[in-house]
Amino acid sequence: MTSTSFTVTPWEVKGEIDYEKIIKEFGVKRIDEPLMHRLSKLAPLHLFLRRKLFFAHRDLDVVLDEHEKGRKVVLYTGRGPSGHTHLGHLVPWIFTRWLQKAFKAKLYFQMTDDEKFLVKDLSLEQTTNYAKENALDLIALGFEPHDTKIIYDTEHIRELYPFALKIAKRTTFSTAKAVFGFDNSTNIGLSFFPALQAAVAFYAQQQVGMAGGEKAADAGKNVQCLIPCAIDQDPYWRIARDAAPYLGYQKPATILSKFLPGLSGPAGKMSASDAANAIYTTDKPEDARKKVMRAFTGGQPTIDEQRKKGGNPDICTVCQWLNLLFEEDDDVMQQRLKDYRAGKILDGENKKYLADKVVAFLEEHQRKREKARDVIEKYSLTA
Ligand code: TRP
C-alpha cells in the first residue's frame, strides 16, 4: 500500500505509518479486548500484546475456536535473509515463542534466501549464508529442535514445490500486480516467489496432519495455521487465503505487528540498510550502547527547558523502545512515561536506562547465539 505520506509493501516500508489506515485498506481486524481476554486464558499476555505492538489479525478468533475444540494449530513465520538480524526482526520471533508455548504448537520457519537474492543486490551465496547466521538468532531465543523446523528455500524447494505450483496456478499476474505492485520491470523469479511463501502455510498443515497419522493426500485439512509477522507481509496471506479452498485447506490466520521504530527517528521501521538506526544482534554491546546514547528523543534543546517543559514520549525512540521491548513492568513503565512528560526524567538518564537493558540483552543473546552453532543442523527441515 502506498499513500501520500507512507509506503508499506513486503519490500519497502517508509514514511510515517498510519496504522488505522492500514487496518482499513488491508481489511484486517484490530486485536480487541475480548480477543485479548481469550488469549489471556492460554498464558499471561505477552508484553507485545499488552503494549499493542501486535495489534491486528485475520481469523485469530477462528484459531481460538479451533483450539478450544481441541484442533491442532501450527505456527508459521520466516525471515528474508538479506543481512544480519536486528532487534526489529526479533519481535515476531520472540512473540512466536510465546505463541508456541500457549498453543503447544509446532513452528515452521521459512528462510527465503531465494527471495532476497531476487530483490537485493546480493549473491545467492550471500543470502544462503545469512540464512544460517539468522537461524542462530532464532535458535538463541529458546526454540527447540523437536518442534521447530527451519526451511531453507533453496535447499528444501522440493518439499514446497507441489504446494507452490497449486497456488501459482490459481493466482493471476493481474492479482499479483495489484497485491505486490509488480510491473514490467519485475524479474520473473519474483513474480513466482509469492507462491512459495504462501506454500509453507499449507505444507505446515500437511506435515502436522501426517505427524498425527493422516495420509499425505489429505493430511492436515483440519489443522489451523497461524502466522505471526509484521503487517508488511499481509499481501502474501491474501494470496494464500484466496488459494486455500482450491487446495482444500483452512485459510491461514495471521497475527500482525507494527514496526519497531528505528533509533534515528519515529518514522518507518528499523531499516536494515541504516546501521545507526538499528541494533544488530551481532553488534558489540558497547557499540550498541553508543547507538542508544545517540538516539532521537522527545527531549528539549537544553536540560533547563526539559526540566520545565518536560519531554514528549510519543516521538521519543528511547521511550518507545522501553515501552515496546525492554521495560516489562507495566507500573514502572507508566510511571516513567509520566515522569518523562513532567520533566523529571531527562534524556541522558533515560538513554542510560535503556542502554543498560540493551547491553544486558545482547550479552546474553550473543552467548546463546554462539552455542546455537553446535545444534543448528538439528533444526533443519530435513534433519
Ligand atoms: N518475506 C519475508 C521477509 O522478507 C520472509 C518470510 C517468509 C516470512 N515467510 C514468512 C515472514 C512468513 C513472516 C512470515 O522477511
Side-chain angles (χ1 to χ4, degrees), residues 121-191:
D121 189 16
L122 292 169
S123 69
L124 202 46
E125 199 191 350
Q126 285 173 308
T127 60
T128 54
N129 284 341
Y130 277 132
K132 296 281 153 92
E133 284 294 310
N134 295 169
L136 299 175
D137 291 301
L138 181 79
I139 295 167
L141 296 178
F143 289 94
E144 293 184 23
H146 66 90
D147 54 13
T148 305
K149 292 293 156 218
I150 303 178
I151 299 170
Y152 301 96
D153 276 359
T154 56
E155 197 176 329
H156 299 128
I157 182 68
R158 190 177 186 280
E159 302 290 319
L160 304 183
Y161 199 47
F163 291 94
L165 280 176
K166 290 177 197 168
I167 297 161
K169 192 172 181 177
R170 294 286 171 187
T171 309
T172 65
F173 192 51
S174 111
T175 302
K177 277 206 288 199
V179 174
F180 295 97
F182 294 153
D183 60 28
N184 282 346
S185 71
T186 304
N187 71 60
I188 60 173
L190 200 57
S191 68

